[in-house]
Amino acid sequence: MATIQAQAEPGTTAQRRKIDARFLLYFYLHMAGFLASTLLMTWGLLVLFFLAIGGLSFDGMMHQLNNMASRYVAADAARVESFKHVLVVAHMLLATAIIVFRRNSILPSRDPKRSNVNG
């Protein structure tokens, strides 16, 4: 089955859709801000986790971090690699959960009243 493509009449010019460079830059800035804020939120959740392990006190958190750091330094290469994998998986799970909860703000809003498409 052949399809027939509609051709523009000889007297008219076929209009192509122009790329709105300003909106594209706005989109990239919005996406960079979204990713940066998601990264900061995941780090904050990790700090909150260590704060909770330390009994919700700064001294307890530092004690737990010191305990973990001394065990990390004394561990062999396989255990260090295992710890890194656990940390990466935990970070990815937290980031995925945050992105799911913030999914409505991934794309920037484009208000047609404020959009200046004619120049």
Side-chain angles (χ1 to χ4, degrees):
M1 181 183 283
T3 58
I4 300 173
Q5 295 180 353
Q7 295 182 359
E9 299 212 8
T12 62
T13 59
Q15 291 198 0
R16 291 184 53 186
R17 191 172 179 159
K18 291 184 179 180
I19 296 175
D20 190 2
R22 293 174 294 180
F23 182 73
L24 194 61
L25 290 174
Y26 173 68
F27 172 77
Y28 286 138
L29 281 173
H30 180 80
M31 189 56 66
F34 179 82
L35 292 175
S37 63
T38 301
L39 179 68
L40 289 174
M41 284 184 215
T42 56
W43 289 349
L45 285 175
L46 289 173
V47 169
L48 184 64
F49 172 74
F50 284 111
L51 190 63
I53 286 178
L56 297 177
S57 71
F58 188 73
D59 292 334
M61 180 180 77
M62 287 300 150
H63 180 72
Q64 292 298 326
L65 287 174
N66 183 28
N67 184 21
M68 185 180 69
S70 65
R71 290 173 184 257
Y72 181 83
V73 170
D76 60 341
R79 300 265 322 224
V80 168
E81 200 65 32
S82 174
F83 174 75
K84 287 180 182 178
H85 286 297
V86 168
L87 191 63
V88 166
V89 167
H91 193 271
M92 288 297 147
L93 287 174
L94 283 173
T96 302
I98 289 173
I99 288 172
V100 166
F101 288 130
R102 299 182 66 209
R103 67 185 174 269
N104 291 332
S105 65
I106 291 176
L107 294 177
S109 62
R110 184 167 188 174
D111 187 11
K113 294 176 186 172
R114 297 185 66 204
S115 179
N116 189 4
V117 295
N118 293 329

